[in-house]
Amino acid sequence: MKLKTFNEFITEKTHKVNRKVQFIKVDPVKSSTDNEVMKKLTEDARDRFYEVFLQEDYKDILSLTDKMDLNRPMLVYAGSKNKDTEKFVMEIYEKNPAMVYNIPKEMKKTGSKVEFHKIFDSEDFVPKTVFQLAETKGLAWPIIAKPSEGHSGRGIEKFKNIDELKASKNKFDLYSECIDFDREFRALCLKDKALVIYERQLIEEDDRSIETKKPDEDVSFVYIDQDMKKLPFMKDLNNIISEFLKKVPLDVYSLDFFTKRKGGKLMLIEANSCSGLGSNSLVHVYEALYEDFYNEKPTAADAKFIEKIKETYCKTAADDYPKEHKRSLSPK
């Protein structure tokens, strides 16, 4: 029998007693839906698996450096725009790089749509994009015009021709060829592995797509969890993930992509190192991150809790959005 050192004993006890991921974040972890079941699922997943440190709660974020537990993983969803938070993250990273998931210098590459498209300009799985109105004459119309920052389609407009674009009073930072797509997906990943893939189905009742919404409105989606074993494009997606990580080596991130109507080719539209994490995503990330960091699976009790969250999420989405669920490609 191998005797444990005192430090090994303390590390093991910390690991078993406190298994929460230290979550460095700008905004609170909460559900954006009005559905009370979904809200409760997110709260339960957050409270059980994450110790949240909100950037705004610490005027001196650097004071947290010595309070971080180096024996537990730390997921970073902040820092790319705050020098003190960036310094704090890098100080922890220098002490124990294995515990830090996402570092600010890589997060910056996906924080701006302009930066993202400049990095992947030469890739054939990204739509052709320019950054000046005058350069749009080299694009195939219609085009999609976007601000560099934003989410949920806010500020994005579709234009059929140059006259329509010039007539717009809104400010845009990039212009991309419009993809004739069949379906839209989001892959949430840990390193080189897709953990969960959602099909983003437009909510029929809301009728808010890029074409129908006002520029300052969000696109109205429901995220339908997909059975990845049945998806026909996983090989292509894994290839894109591999190419993505060569240029942007993130740990936890999401990729938004379309399947083209003709031929089914995947087109990467956007990447995000701080995409929203609702209940289902929170437990998928925790499960994978735990195994990656500790090199073992979560406890039986935690695994049971995780499965309950996953099942309840899928059932609630199907009950609340039956039409969208039925239209989805391979819903769980």
Side-chain angles (χ1 to χ4, degrees):
M1 175 178 166
K2 181 178 179 292
L3 294 176
K4 294 182 175 67
T5 66
F6 179 74
N7 284 339
E8 287 174 333
F9 175 78
I10 293 297
T11 297
E12 182 179 273
K13 286 295 182 183
T14 301
H15 169 192
K16 297 299 183 184
V17 173
N18 189 348
R19 298 180 293 271
K20 290 185 176 182
V21 170
Q22 299 166 108
F23 199 177
I24 311 302
K25 213 170 176 308
V26 174
D27 303 312
V29 181
K30 61 181 181 180
S31 177
S32 60
T33 179
D34 293 329
N35 184 291
E36 294 300 324
V37 173
M38 290 293 199
K39 283 184 178 179
K40 184 67 164 56
L41 287 179
T42 297
E43 291 169 3
D44 290 346
R46 176 198 64 202
D47 294 344
R48 180 156 181 154
F49 295 129
Y50 294 86
E51 182 178 4
V52 182
F53 296 89
L54 292 181
Q55 181 178 269
E56 65 181 24
D57 289 344
Y58 297 90
K59 292 182 180 179
D60 180 14
I61 191 76
L62 296 174
S63 67
L64 279 176
T65 305
D66 295 328
K67 297 179 182 178
M68 288 291 109
D69 183 350
L70 300 185
N71 297 307
R72 287 190 285 139
M74 185 174 86
L75 175 57
V76 180
Y77 256 46
S80 61
K81 294 183 180 180
N82 184 298
K83 290 183 179 180
D84 282 346
T85 306
E86 183 171 344
K87 184 179 179 182
F88 155 71
V89 171
M90 294 314 297
E91 285 183 0
I92 299 296
Y93 183 78
E94 288 170 5
K95 291 181 179 180
N96 186 1
M99 72 173 281
V100 180
Y101 290 79
N102 289 351
I103 57 175
K105 73 173 184 178
E106 299 302 334
M107 296 172 71
K108 288 178 181 177
K109 296 176 182 178
T110 62
S112 159
K113 294 182 178 67
V114 168
E115 184 71 12
F116 166 78
H117 278 281
K118 286 183 176 179
I119 291 172
F120 292 96
D121 180 58
S122 62
E123 302 291 351
D124 66 356
F125 55 78
V126 174
K128 185 177 179 181
T129 299
V130 298
F131 310 100
Q132 301 294 331
L133 189 147
E135 297 174 334
T136 58
K137 60 185 178 182
L139 299 179
W141 296 77
I143 68 165
I144 297 290
K146 307 176 183 180
S148 184
E149 298 183 6
H151 59 85
S152 304
R154 184 162 295 193
I156 296 176
E157 290 189 73
K158 180 179 178 180
F159 299 99
K160 296 178 182 178
N161 53 58
I162 188 65
D163 292 331
E164 281 190 3
L165 174 57
K166 288 181 176 179
S168 175
K169 296 180 180 179
N170 294 311
K171 183 181 181 299
F172 305 108
D173 299 302
L174 64 158
Y175 310 86
S176 299
E177 291 184 349
C178 187
I179 303 301
D180 183 18
F181 70 93
D182 181 37
R183 295 178 182 274
E184 182 175 0
F185 298 90
R186 168 169 289 180
L188 179 61
C189 307
L190 174 65
K191 298 181 178 178
D192 63 351
K193 181 182 179 182
L195 308 179
V196 57
I197 296 177
Y198 298 103
E199 181 172 1
R200 299 205 297 196
Q201 277 280 342
L202 288 169
I203 298 175
E204 185 175 304
E205 187 177 61
D206 292 350
D207 188 29
R208 287 214 306 267
S209 66
I210 293 297
E211 287 86 355
T212 60
K213 74 177 186 67
K214 297 177 182 178
D216 61 348
E217 290 182 326
D218 293 346
V219 176
S220 190
F221 289 120
V222 58
Y223 287 75
I224 307 294
D225 193 344
Q226 301 292 288
D227 185 343
M228 290 196 287
K229 294 178 181 179
K230 296 180 180 179
L231 294 175
F233 52 68
M234 288 306 300
K235 182 178 179 180
D236 291 340
L237 176 61
N238 288 332
N239 288 337
I240 289 177
I241 289 173
S242 177
E243 293 303 311
F244 174 81
L245 290 175
K246 289 177 184 178
K247 297 182 177 182
V248 188
L250 285 166
D251 297 306
V252 178
Y253 60 96
S254 64
L255 300 178
D256 293 346
F257 61 95
F258 293 151
T259 53
K260 292 186 74 172
R261 197 174 301 278
K262 292 183 179 180
K265 180 181 177 179
L266 301 194
M267 297 297 292
L268 182 60
I269 305 302
E270 189 174 316
N272 197 324
S273 60
C274 296
S275 57
L277 297 180
S279 58
N280 196 49
S281 295
L282 284 170
V283 295
H284 273 283
V285 168
Y286 178 80
E287 184 178 38
L289 200 151
Y290 185 102
E291 187 170 347
D292 183 76
F293 184 77
Y294 295 114
N295 198 29
E296 65 181 45
K297 294 186 180 298
T299 65
D302 283 346
K304 185 177 180 180
F305 185 88
I306 287 168
E307 284 308 307
K308 181 181 178 182
I309 293 278
K310 291 178 180 178
E311 290 173 3
T312 307
Y313 174 89
C314 291
K315 182 180 184 304
T316 303
D319 289 346
D320 284 2
Y321 300 99
K323 293 178 182 178
E324 292 79 4
H325 190 270
K326 186 177 181 179
R327 287 198 306 263
S328 188
L329 182 60
S330 298
K332 283 187 176 180

